[in-house]
Amino acid sequence: MSHSSEPSAEIGFDDFLKVDVRAGVIVDAQPFPEARKPAIKLWVDFGEPLGVKKSSAQITVHYAPEELIGKQVMAVTNFPPRQIGKFMSEILVLGFPDENGEVVLARPDKQVPKGGRLF
């Protein structure tokens, strides 16, 4: 994954609509010490019909597992699952790099319903 600040190639609106970005609530977060890079295993509840989905997130610089429970996050929910070590990641939790390139989670600034889709 590129962390470039260069603009991406132009896409059409129909391409944007293919990316299913939804709001969910972190219901569990566990350390992931066996990951190649420091990470936290997340379980995010998107409500029905998606339910709870898992993700591995490299967010250990700014977040501890216990402080993540109950936080709303945004995630891409329609990528294929990806094996990360012995853990199957089903979603991509979204974030932005800080001034040192470390991930800061992308979150709604007000509470929104679980499973709400970005538009």
Side-chain angles (χ1 to χ4, degrees):
M1 179 179 305
S2 172
H3 298 288
S4 171
S5 60
E6 292 298 316
S8 296
E10 187 176 279
I11 63 171
F13 189 70
D14 288 340
D15 293 321
F16 170 74
L17 291 176
K18 293 176 185 175
V19 182
D20 195 359
V21 177
R22 295 188 182 254
V25 176
I26 298 173
V27 294
D28 194 8
Q30 301 293 326
F32 193 5
E34 56 275 40
R36 202 175 42 205
K37 294 183 180 178
I40 298 173
K41 294 187 271 189
L42 302 174
W43 286 261
V44 182
D45 184 2
F46 294 95
E48 292 304 322
L50 292 175
V52 176
K53 299 286 186 181
K54 301 179 295 186
S55 184
S56 169
Q58 295 174 3
I59 57 174
T60 58
V61 169
H62 292 297
Y63 305 96
E66 61 275 5
E67 74 183 54
L68 291 167
I69 309 298
K71 289 194 183 296
Q72 278 200 314
V73 291
M74 298 187 319
V76 175
T77 61
N78 64 334
F79 283 149
R82 184 173 175 197
Q83 192 75 40
I84 313 261
K86 295 182 179 180
F87 187 75
M88 184 63 73
S89 187
E90 302 171 299
I91 58 173
L92 175 65
V93 175
L94 300 174
F96 294 95
D98 68 9
E99 62 278 353
N100 297 314
E102 301 296 340
V103 179
V104 175
L105 292 171
R107 302 177 37 198
D109 72 345
K110 298 206 182 322
Q111 199 74 12
V112 298
K114 285 189 272 186
R117 186 168 180 182
L118 179 72
F119 60 84

